Amino acid sequence: DLENIDVASAFLQGQDIPRKVYVKPPAEAEIPGKFWLMVKPGYGLYDAGRLWYLEVDRKLKEWGMEKVTGDEAFYMFRKENKLCGMLMFSLEEEIRSSERRFWIKFILTLSALRER
């Protein structure tokens, strides 16, 4: 059983930007001479994809998933020496094959990223 999901606003759920990035606010929110400090990466920043990957990698490892040797975006989850699920992702999409329990826990893990 394979499923594919799209993570909305994926880059905004990545790790915080490790430097100061200021942006001009949109016209409707502009105050002359004022800029906004970005905290989360957005599309267009050269490291946005990497910061998203690092956060997902951290959460998946925290959850007990293991990377498959030779592929930085392919993970397996085992419980009591039984393969319960596999996950492969690219930037903001995930493809998984798993038991239903695994899928529910994975969705809850992704939801936790949004709540930070």
Side-chain angles (χ1 to χ4, degrees), residues 15-103:
Q15 292 182 351
D16 290 351
I17 301 171
R19 63 189 183 287
K20 291 191 180 205
V21 176
Y22 293 93
V23 294
K24 185 177 177 182
E28 59 273 7
E30 189 171 354
I31 298 172
K34 298 285 183 174
F35 292 90
W36 290 353
L37 173 64
M38 287 184 70
V39 176
K40 292 291 186 177
Y43 289 93
L45 290 181
Y46 72 88
D47 54 352
R50 175 86 176 141
L51 294 169
W52 157 245
Y53 165 78
L54 291 172
E55 183 62 13
V56 171
D57 180 65
R58 183 186 70 77
K59 288 300 274 186
L60 294 177
K61 286 178 180 174
E62 182 180 289
W63 185 36
M65 294 192 77
E66 305 169 21
K67 279 186 193 174
V68 172
T69 304
D71 192 330
E72 293 292 312
F74 189 26
Y75 295 79
M76 294 187 313
F77 182 73
R78 297 177 193 268
K79 187 172 184 177
E80 297 173 6
N81 227 9
K82 178 185 173 197
L83 181 62
C84 298
M86 297 181 295
L87 171 73
M88 179 174 49
F89 73 93
S90 64
L91 292 186
E92 62 201 62
E93 287 191 53
E94 285 77 29
I95 299 171
R96 66 99 188 166
S97 175
S98 66
E99 297 177 337
R100 192 79 185 142
R101 286 186 309 243
F102 169 84
W103 183 237

